[in-house]
Amino acid sequence: MIFAPERSMTLPVEVDDVLLNLLPTAVCVTDADGTVRRYNRRAVDLWGREPRPGEARFCGAYRLYHPDGAPMPPGASPIADAVRTGRPQRNREVVVERPNGTRSAVMVNVDPVRDADERVVAAVAVLQDVSDKKQVEEEAKRRAAEQADAARR
């Protein structure tokens, strides 16, 4: 929970925009129906597009895939799971495809947001591009396999 000494204190919405855009990772906020309501510049960079307000459900990505390459319907995304179940989703890997066809491996963490009556009213997702990390891991596996193969000869 964020420390808020005066809950009644209101700040202009521009402060929220500055805060979201200062974060070093992509952020996406949906309402209880999964409609994307807010996102930051890093999300736009990750998705390769800027969805029109109210058009995207559960994620602003052009297409989503499971790590094995199988298509992931928007309703099966980590954000959809958090909205549907009311449970946080941690370290869920997805593959994001941009309109230009490029793809990135993304680690997704989502928390549902609840109102005073404990109803899920929104979800906040943090999306981190882990493509470089995955590439390094794959290269290390390849080299280890090559070394093991060379040692067997």
Side-chain angles (χ1 to χ4, degrees), residues 15-118:
V15 172
D16 290 343
D17 291 340
V18 169
L19 175 61
L20 279 176
N21 285 312
L22 280 174
L23 296 173
T25 190
V27 177
C28 174
V29 180
T30 72
D31 62 21
D33 295 325
T35 303
V36 174
R37 297 296 176 186
R38 307 271 313 263
Y39 47 85
N40 65 1
R41 283 190 300 248
R42 301 253 185 199
V44 171
D45 293 344
L46 181 65
W47 299 332
R49 70 186 198 124
E50 187 165 356
R52 288 186 299 262
E55 86 169 350
R57 295 248 1 237
F58 301 116
C59 183
Y62 178 63
R63 289 193 180 114
L64 291 177
Y65 297 88
H66 293 279
D68 67 2
M72 178 183 289
S77 72
I79 298 172
D81 288 346
V83 168
R84 185 178 56 257
T85 67
R87 291 191 306 263
Q89 303 294 305
R90 293 289 178 260
N91 298 320
R92 296 267 310 269
E93 188 175 329
V94 301
V95 176
V96 168
E97 183 178 32
R98 296 171 195 85
N100 68 5
T102 60
R103 294 183 179 185
S104 290
V106 176
M107 192 64 64
V108 182
N109 288 280
V110 187
D111 271 350
V113 177
R114 299 176 182 278
D115 66 11
D117 296 323
E118 292 298 310

Side-chain angles (χ1 to χ4, degrees), residues 142-153:
R142 187 187 64 72
R143 286 186 182 174
E146 287 174 355
Q147 289 173 351
D149 188 44
R152 283 191 290 266
R153 290 184 200 172

